[in-house]
Amino acid sequence: MRQSRRCSRSGCAQPAAATLTYVYAESTAVVGPLATYSEPHSYDLCEFHAERLTVPRGWEVVRHEVDTEESGPTGDDLLALADAVREAARPEPERDPADDGSGTRRGHLRVLPNLP
């Protein structure tokens, strides 16, 4: 069962549609699509509060388009998933018979011990 997140504004029970974050160093508030996960330093806002957000004088608001309709995964999401499945299904390469087993293997790199 998917739980929907609610607007962070007190007294508002509407479902969240956007995420608000701040970049204090640049005096900027950023309103964008609803984040996948709720973060401690971001705020979920309903459509009403996201559109009417005001910031202190001297601050700037950056608004990224918020799509309120869930359109599902994008083509890029599906390609990334297919690549991950293909990578996981690949058999492990055979070991080189000349490899004496010294050193530690990390992916395609090998860490060799210090030689005297």
Side-chain angles (χ1 to χ4, degrees):
M1 173 185 246
R2 183 177 175 229
Q3 276 191 330
S4 99
R5 298 192 320 242
R6 299 281 174 207
C7 182
S8 297
R9 295 289 301 256
S10 50
C12 183
Q14 295 298 311
T19 298
L20 167 66
T21 56
Y22 294 102
V23 182
Y24 289 99
E26 298 177 11
S27 300
T28 304
V30 181
V31 179
L34 185 62
T36 306
Y37 299 101
S38 180
E39 297 287 332
H41 299 291
S42 63
Y43 302 90
D44 295 336
L45 298 175
C46 65
E47 198 172 339
F48 177 84
H49 287 118
E51 290 174 1
R52 289 162 181 78
L53 175 77
T54 59
V55 294
R57 185 173 293 151
W59 279 58
E60 179 183 0
V61 178
V62 175
R63 295 181 189 273
H64 294 280
E65 185 175 326
V66 177
D67 185 12
T68 56
E69 296 178 15
E70 290 192 33
S71 60
T74 65
D76 289 341
D77 294 336
L78 295 175
L79 287 174
L81 180 60
D83 289 342
V85 169
R86 275 193 289 268
E87 183 68 30
R90 281 192 189 139
E92 197 167 310
E94 293 184 29
R95 293 194 67 158
D96 184 5
D99 186 7
D100 64 356
S102 64
T104 305
R105 198 159 169 82
R106 302 263 170 125
H108 66 282
L109 302 175
R110 180 180 310 267
V111 178
L112 298 175
N114 288 335
L115 298 176

